[in-house]
Each structure stands twice: as C-alpha cells, then as structure tokens.
Amino acid sequence: MNSRRNFLKASAAAALAVAAAPVRAQDAQPIKIVSSLPHTGSANAQTKTMVNGIQLAIEEAGSKAGGFPLVYEAWDDASPERGQWDPAVEAANADKAVADPNIMAYIGTYNSGAAKIAMPKLNQAGLLMISPGNTWPGLTKPKVGEPNEPMVYRPSKKITYFRVVPADDIQGLVAARWTNEMGAKKVYILHDRELYGQGIATMFQKEAKVLGLDVLGFEGIDPKASNYRSLVTKIKQKRPDLVYFGGTTQTNAGQIAKDLRSANLNVKFMVPDGCFENAFIESAGPENVEGSAFITFGGVPADKLTGKGAEFYENYKKRFGSEPEAYAAYGYECGRVVIDAINRAGKKDRAAIIAATAATKDFDGVLGKWSFDENGDTTNTTMSCNTVKNGKFEFVKVFGQ
C-alpha cells in the first residue's frame, strides 16, 4: 500500500513538474516558412507561380506540420532600381529570417548569385535553406566551381542548403550534346557575366570541346545594353551554326534573339532554363524565336509530368485558374519537402528540421522518386529539351534520365 501511495505521489509531482515546465515563447507561435524570390521585374510571372506552388503544398497539408500551424510569407528579393534580384535586398531578407525564431525554413533563392549572399548567413544561423531554382554547381559541389566553393557558403561546416533542381554541370552537358545531335558543329557562346549565366556557358563550352565542336567565340555581354547589333555583326562574320547564350530573360536574352533575326542571321539560338518562361518569348517577339530557339530545362514541363506531377498540374489549374510556369512544380516540391521534414522532426527546432531534410530519401514527389545526396543535391537528373512553336514553348524530348 505504501509503495502504491508513494507511486501516486511521485506521479502527481511529475505531472506538476511538467505543468510548471517553462514554455519557450516561440513554441506558442506558428511555424513560419518564408520564400525569397524576385517579384519585381519580368521574373515575377515565373516566381508568382512558384509562390502559388508553395502555397498549394501548404494548403494540401491543412496548413499544419509537426503539430504546429503553418504561416507562409512570400518575400521579394528584387528592387525597382535593378529590375531583378538585388544583393542588398537578398542580404536584408536573410538577416530578417535569421532574427525571427519562428522561421524554420527559407525557400529560395531563384538566382544563384542571390544564393551566394544568403547561404552563409543562414548557414551560420543554422536555418534550413532549400532552393527551387539555383543551378550553379559550385553552391554544393566541390571541385566544380571556384576553389573555395562550396565551403565558403558553410561557415558552420554543416550542410544546411538543399535544392530540388538539377545543377548546371548536368544542364550544360545536355545543351552541348543536344547541339551536337542537331548537327551544329560551329558554336558562338555568349554569357551575361553573372554567376548563373557565365557558369552555365562555361559548362556548355567545356562539353562542346569534349564533343569536338568548334567554339568560335566566348564572351560576356552588357545585360543593360539597348541592342547588340555590332556584336551580331561580328558573330555573323564567324558563320556559326548555333549561338548559345548563358543568361536569363532578365539579362536580355530576348534582345539578343531580336538582333540575330534582324541581321538575317540564319542560326539556331539556344538558352538555358533561366529563359524557360513566357516572358522570354514576349521580350524576344514570338516571330524572332519561332522554330529557332532551343531551351533546356531541369525536369519536364508541367503538362508533361506524370503520377503525382500530373496530380499537381491538375490541382494547380483548379486552385489558381491558370497554367503553371515551368518552375511552379519546383516551388511546390520545396514546400512539400519542408512540410515532410517538419513532420518527421516533430518539433519546432531548426537543427532537427535540417537533419530531417538531409535524411530525405526516396521522396515520392512531383518530379519522380528522388533523394538528397551528401552535398544537398537532388539525385534527379532528368532534363528536357524544348523549342518555340506557334508562339509557345513546345516540348521536344527528355534528355539525361
């Protein structure tokens, strides 16, 4: 009887102790997920659908994860002055996220250059960062980019950055091989001097040389120039079969396409995924890229997705009443990965959520079944080749599965 009485006393004391345990102020608050993407300038149409994708993933989860309500905020990392992502704004966004103890995940960035700014800040703070759009290999892969990459982005020595999109060492290789398949043997390579654009142009050049293609030129452009007529005149004299531009819609890909056509240069024009948005066709003018522009993209267009990807495509159209742009699926995938990690972590703890994210294996997502590797990269390497027909993007084929 005494032992039973003592047991009940001990149980009551334990219950009181639990009841009296201090509760961290942030534990009473919802978990916040933020995204940092450019919403100012022509990238907005693309990033708006990425935000929609993230929002859809949260809504499908009932706006809850790990026993906590979820709150999502979409932040702009662009400025009117630059018309695209701005280093100062990206730095301010990262600092704001670090300072808010309720933020458990930072979805972004879209531009690899912006990632270089946010990554060390978030890594130092132990805050999860997951990108739907960064493709520069040096962000994660040793011995591919600069000598100090990727460790310069990891001051804590830990991996806190992940991405669901294949990197440019894969895309550059695919672009060069597609060029070779199309019978283009002489290429002229341009880039926008930015991390993403110059980086993927370098990857294209490297594989082009391996394939024995004749690289007639490799040079950077001024992405703010009003036209490239003199440059096109010089390119025309070299008589290339294909011009490759490492850059984005925002760094003037459309103007280059216009000037190539106006010079009556009968040449193929290939661009990477940074131009796989309707804004590229609009800026170039549909008649200037019809059947002559070729675009590589990590993954396949939304209307070509299968399984859970096809479900996402239909649900997106029902929810938002419009077609998703190419990167909407990656935004959605990021949202689902974060929610899954919070559920498995089971607590509002940045380190635990990062550990759960790193442990993501055989994720059954809209992009197929994939895992994160030891660098934080997706194991998905599917790329697609696309062109422009009737003023719209047209899927050509899958490359590199």
Side-chain angles (χ1 to χ4, degrees):
M1 179 62 76
N2 285 342
S3 61
R4 175 176 171 77
R5 188 178 297 120
N6 290 338
F7 171 78
L8 292 174
K9 286 180 177 178
S11 298
L16 287 171
V18 169
V23 177
R24 296 184 306 168
Q26 64 264 34
D27 286 346
Q29 300 295 319
I31 283 179
K32 288 174 67 174
I33 299 170
V34 299
S35 62
S36 184
L37 304 164
H39 297 296
T40 303
S42 61
N44 182 53
Q46 180 77 274
T47 56
K48 182 180 179 182
T49 67
M50 296 162 73
V51 167
N52 286 346
I54 298 167
Q55 186 64 48
L56 182 61
I58 292 172
E59 289 176 3
E60 289 179 349
S63 297
K64 293 181 180 177
F68 292 86
L70 293 178
V71 172
Y72 170 52
E73 295 179 4
W75 295 352
D76 188 359
D77 73 358
S79 67
E81 294 78 16
R82 285 177 54 90
Q84 59 174 334
W85 76 273
D86 187 318
V89 179
E90 182 57 51
N93 284 352
D95 288 339
K96 185 165 66 171
V98 167
D100 187 339
N102 292 311
I103 294 177
M104 294 292 122
Y106 190 93
I107 298 178
T109 58
Y110 180 54
N111 301 90
S112 294
K116 291 182 68 171
I117 294 170
M119 285 176 71
K121 290 176 177 286
L122 301 177
N123 180 271
Q124 187 72 62
L127 177 56
L128 171 65
M129 180 177 180
I130 178 167
S131 173
N134 298 154
T135 52
W136 171 239
L139 297 177
T140 55
K141 301 182 181 185
K143 301 178 182 178
V144 179
E146 299 298 322
N148 63 350
E149 290 181 323
M151 293 311 298
V152 69
Y153 311 124
R154 300 170 182 164
S156 73
K157 313 295 184 189
K158 298 176 181 177
I159 293 177
T160 59
Y161 169 87
F162 304 84
R163 55 181 161 190
V164 298
V165 61
D168 287 341
D169 52 338
I170 299 169
Q171 187 174 185
L173 180 148
V174 166
R177 291 185 178 181
W178 192 23
T179 298
N180 191 42
E181 276 191 10
M182 290 192 290
K185 300 301 180 185
K186 296 183 294 181
V187 299
Y188 202 104
I189 305 171
L190 303 173
H191 62 81
D192 62 7
R193 303 178 191 267
E194 293 203 2
L195 180 68
Y196 164 77
Q198 185 168 353
I200 195 166
T202 301
M203 297 298 168
F204 177 87
Q205 181 189 40
K206 182 178 179 182
E207 185 63 16
K209 289 181 176 178
V210 169
L211 295 169
L213 304 184
D214 188 3
V215 179
L216 304 174
F218 183 92
E219 63 181 287
I221 66 158
D222 173 7
K224 298 291 187 183
S226 59
N227 68 74
Y228 302 97
R229 291 175 198 140
S230 59
L231 173 61
V232 167
T233 298
K234 182 172 73 172
I235 293 172
K236 191 174 183 179
Q237 291 171 348
K238 297 278 188 178
R239 303 179 65 182
D241 300 316
L242 180 143
V243 173
Y244 183 85
F245 175 58
T248 67
T249 306
Q250 292 70 45
T251 54
N252 240 353
Q255 187 60 48
I256 296 172
K258 279 182 182 177
D259 291 339
L260 289 173
R261 283 303 133 228
S262 64
N264 293 317
L265 185 54
N266 184 22
V267 65
K268 295 179 174 65
F269 183 50
M270 185 177 287
V271 291
D273 60 329
C275 300
F276 197 38
E277 55 185 351
N278 292 327
F280 166 65
I281 298 176
E282 292 166 3
S283 63
E287 69 280 8
N288 294 316
V289 289
E290 180 72 18
S292 62
F294 301 89
I295 309 98
T296 52
F297 173 63
V300 298
D303 62 348
K304 301 298 179 187
L305 291 169
T306 59
K308 288 189 178 297
E311 292 177 17
F312 156 75
Y313 178 63
E314 294 300 327
N315 291 337
Y316 183 100
K317 290 192 297 181
K318 289 178 184 174
R319 171 65 178 82
F320 300 106
S322 61
E323 289 279 333
E325 289 254 17
Y327 273 95
Y330 288 103
Y332 178 76
E333 197 81 320
C334 282
R336 290 189 66 234
V337 168
V338 169
I339 291 166
D340 176 65
I342 295 172
N343 280 331
R344 284 188 285 111
K347 53 185 175 180
K348 191 177 183 178
D349 181 271
R350 289 178 172 178
I353 292 169
I354 288 172
T357 303
T360 299
K361 299 294 181 188
D362 298 324
F363 188 78
D364 191 13
V366 296
L367 309 171
K369 191 165 285 189
W370 56 271
S371 306
F372 282 129
D373 69 12
E374 68 278 9
N375 296 318
D377 277 310
T378 175
T379 55
N380 174 31
T381 59
T382 301
M383 304 291 301
S384 67
C385 302
N386 307 271
T387 186
V388 178
K389 289 285 179 65
N390 300 317
K392 297 180 179 178
F393 290 113
E394 181 173 286
F395 171 75
V396 177
K397 64 177 182 176
V398 169
F399 210 128
Q401 275 185 309

Coordinates of all heavy atoms in Angstrom, one line a residue, residues 182 261 267-269 286-294 387-392:
M182 N 21.8 18.0 -83.1 CA 21.1 18.7 -84.2 C 22.0 19.0 -85.4 O 21.6 19.7 -86.3 CB 20.6 20.0 -83.6 CG 19.4 19.8 -82.6 SD 18.5 21.4 -82.2 CE 19.8 22.2 -81.2
R261 N 17.8 37.9 -85.5 CA 16.9 37.8 -86.6 C 17.0 39.1 -87.5 O 16.9 39.0 -88.7 CB 15.4 37.8 -86.0 CG 15.0 36.5 -85.5 CD 15.1 35.3 -86.5 NE 15.8 34.2 -85.9 CZ 16.8 33.5 -86.3 NH1 17.2 33.8 -87.5 NH2 17.3 32.6 -85.7
V267 N 20.6 31.2 -87.8 CA 21.3 30.4 -86.9 C 20.4 30.0 -85.8 O 19.4 30.6 -85.4 CB 22.5 31.3 -86.3 CG1 21.9 32.5 -85.5 CG2 23.4 30.5 -85.4
K268 N 20.7 28.8 -85.2 CA 20.0 28.4 -84.0 C 20.4 29.2 -82.8 O 21.5 29.6 -82.7 CB 20.2 26.9 -83.8 CG 19.7 26.0 -84.9 CD 20.0 24.5 -84.6 CE 19.4 23.6 -85.7 NZ 20.0 23.8 -87.0
F269 N 19.4 29.4 -81.9 CA 19.7 30.1 -80.7 C 19.3 29.3 -79.5 O 18.1 29.0 -79.3 CB 18.9 31.5 -80.7 CG 19.2 32.4 -79.5 CD1 20.5 32.7 -79.2 CD2 18.1 32.9 -78.8 CE1 20.7 33.6 -78.1 CE2 18.4 33.8 -77.8 CZ 19.7 34.1 -77.4
P286 N 7.5 36.7 -80.5 CA 7.4 35.3 -81.0 C 7.9 35.0 -82.3 O 8.5 33.9 -82.6 CB 5.8 35.1 -80.9 CG 5.4 36.2 -80.0 CD 6.3 37.3 -80.1
E287 N 7.8 36.0 -83.3 CA 8.3 35.7 -84.6 C 9.8 35.6 -84.7 O 10.4 35.0 -85.7 CB 7.9 36.9 -85.5 CG 8.5 38.2 -85.3 CD 7.9 39.0 -84.1 OE1 7.1 38.4 -83.4 OE2 8.3 40.2 -83.9
N288 N 10.5 36.1 -83.7 CA 12.0 36.0 -83.7 C 12.6 34.7 -83.1 O 13.8 34.5 -83.2 CB 12.6 37.2 -83.0 CG 12.3 38.5 -83.7 OD1 12.4 38.6 -84.9 ND2 11.9 39.6 -82.9
V289 N 11.7 34.0 -82.4 CA 12.2 32.7 -81.8 C 11.4 31.5 -82.3 O 11.7 30.4 -81.9 CB 12.1 32.8 -80.3 CG1 13.2 33.7 -79.7 CG2 10.7 33.2 -79.8
E290 N 10.5 31.7 -83.3 CA 9.7 30.6 -83.8 C 10.5 29.6 -84.5 O 11.2 29.9 -85.5 CB 8.6 31.2 -84.8 CG 7.7 30.2 -85.4 CD 6.7 29.6 -84.4 OE1 6.5 30.3 -83.3 OE2 6.1 28.6 -84.6
G291 N 10.6 28.4 -83.9 CA 11.3 27.3 -84.5 C 12.8 27.4 -84.5 O 13.5 26.5 -84.9
S292 N 13.4 28.6 -84.0 CA 14.8 28.8 -84.0 C 15.4 28.8 -82.6 O 16.6 28.8 -82.5 CB 15.1 30.0 -84.7 OG 14.6 31.2 -84.1
A293 N 14.6 28.9 -81.6 CA 15.1 29.0 -80.2 C 15.0 27.6 -79.6 O 13.9 26.9 -79.7 CB 14.3 30.0 -79.4
F294 N 16.0 27.2 -78.8 CA 16.0 25.9 -78.2 C 16.4 26.1 -76.7 O 17.3 26.8 -76.4 CB 17.0 25.0 -78.9 CG 16.7 24.8 -80.4 CD1 17.2 25.7 -81.3 CD2 15.9 23.8 -80.8 CE1 16.8 25.6 -82.6 CE2 15.5 23.7 -82.1 CZ 16.0 24.6 -83.0
T387 N 11.4 23.8 -77.6 CA 11.6 24.8 -78.6 C 10.4 25.7 -78.6 O 9.6 25.7 -77.6 CB 11.8 24.2 -80.0 OG1 12.1 25.2 -81.0 CG2 10.5 23.4 -80.4
V388 N 10.2 26.6 -79.6 CA 9.1 27.5 -79.6 C 8.3 27.2 -80.9 O 8.9 27.3 -82.0 CB 9.5 29.0 -79.6 CG1 8.3 29.9 -79.7 CG2 10.3 29.3 -78.3
K389 N 7.0 26.9 -80.8 CA 6.2 26.7 -81.9 C 4.8 27.5 -81.7 O 4.3 27.4 -80.6 CB 5.9 25.2 -82.1 CG 7.1 24.4 -82.6 CD 7.3 24.7 -84.1 CE 8.6 24.0 -84.6 NZ 8.4 22.5 -84.6
N390 N 4.4 28.1 -82.7 CA 3.1 28.9 -82.6 C 3.1 29.9 -81.4 O 2.1 30.0 -80.8 CB 1.9 27.9 -82.5 CG 1.9 27.0 -83.8 OD1 2.0 27.5 -84.9 ND2 1.6 25.8 -83.5
G391 N 4.3 30.4 -81.2 CA 4.4 31.4 -80.1 C 4.4 30.9 -78.7 O 4.3 31.6 -77.7
K392 N 4.5 29.5 -78.6 CA 4.5 28.9 -77.2 C 5.7 27.9 -77.1 O 6.1 27.4 -78.2 CB 3.2 28.2 -77.0 CG 2.0 29.1 -77.0 CD 0.7 28.3 -76.7 CE -0.5 29.2 -76.6 NZ -1.8 28.5 -76.4

